Amino acid sequence: MTADQVTAPSAGPEVFRSLMSTLPAGVAVVTTADVDGTPWGLTCSTVCGVAMDPPTLLVCLRDESPTLHAMRRTSAFAVNLLHEAARDTAELFASGAADRFDRVEWTRSPHGASPHLEGAAHAIADCRITGTVGIGDHVVVFGEVLGVRHPTEDERVPLLYGFRRYSSWPVEP
């Protein structure tokens, strides 16, 4: 059977959303700085490693996202992987609040000036855009990883999102 022989209709957005809500994922805040230095960012649970050489990851963002538009203008972004105590940060950046960067501590990256949320992240990757692919109402952004930081000395447990709620990875003593 070939792809053109599959005649079933698409599952539809609500059915697809119900499927994806059952897949727990790490929570990240994707950030960038626009050409004028304005910080942008949003909560994202679609982050995936793609290749080891060159080190590349992907993020999927809504095609109308102001953060995506700023990323495309500068070709740079950071992926802030949140730890379990950063639920408030995840919710803040998911809200789209205009003052979100006024309500969190952040510093500029040495690679492209993308904001680092050091107090909320257990790891941060600075990336350069190497490609994009539009699919439906989202854009897959591929980023070559230029640097990685672990802001804290202690091992932090990642924040997870699945089944429409936040959780964390259970840690064995």
Side-chain angles (χ1 to χ4, degrees), residues 7-86:
T7 59
S10 174
E14 289 305 314
V15 171
F16 183 66
R17 186 174 287 114
S18 73
L19 168 71
M20 296 311 296
S21 72
T22 66
L23 178 64
V27 180
V29 172
V30 176
T31 59
T32 193
D34 212 334
V35 292
D36 65 358
T38 302
W40 290 94
L42 53 77
T43 300
C44 178
S45 61
T46 310
V47 178
C48 179
V50 175
M52 294 297 285
D53 190 16
T56 303
L57 57 74
L58 67 76
V59 296
C60 298
L61 306 178
R62 188 176 44 82
D63 62 2
E64 295 301 318
S65 164
T67 298
L68 173 62
H69 296 303
M71 285 169 54
R72 285 180 152 166
R73 285 189 288 272
T74 62
S75 296
F77 64 99
V79 176
N80 297 267
L81 301 179
L82 302 187
H83 57 69
E84 68 178 334

Side-chain angles (χ1 to χ4, degrees), residues 2 14-15 26 48 102 115 127 139 143 149 164 173:
T2 62
E14 289 305 314
V15 171
C48 179
D102 295 332
C127 303
V139 174
R149 295 196 55 235
R164 295 189 171 101

Side-chain angles (χ1 to χ4, degrees), residues 112-125:
S114 295
H116 284 188
L117 306 178
E118 294 184 7
H122 66 86
I124 304 168

Side-chain angles (χ1 to χ4, degrees), residues 104-115:
V104 296
E105 289 184 38
W106 62 279
T107 60
R108 292 201 185 269
S109 158
H111 306 283
S114 295

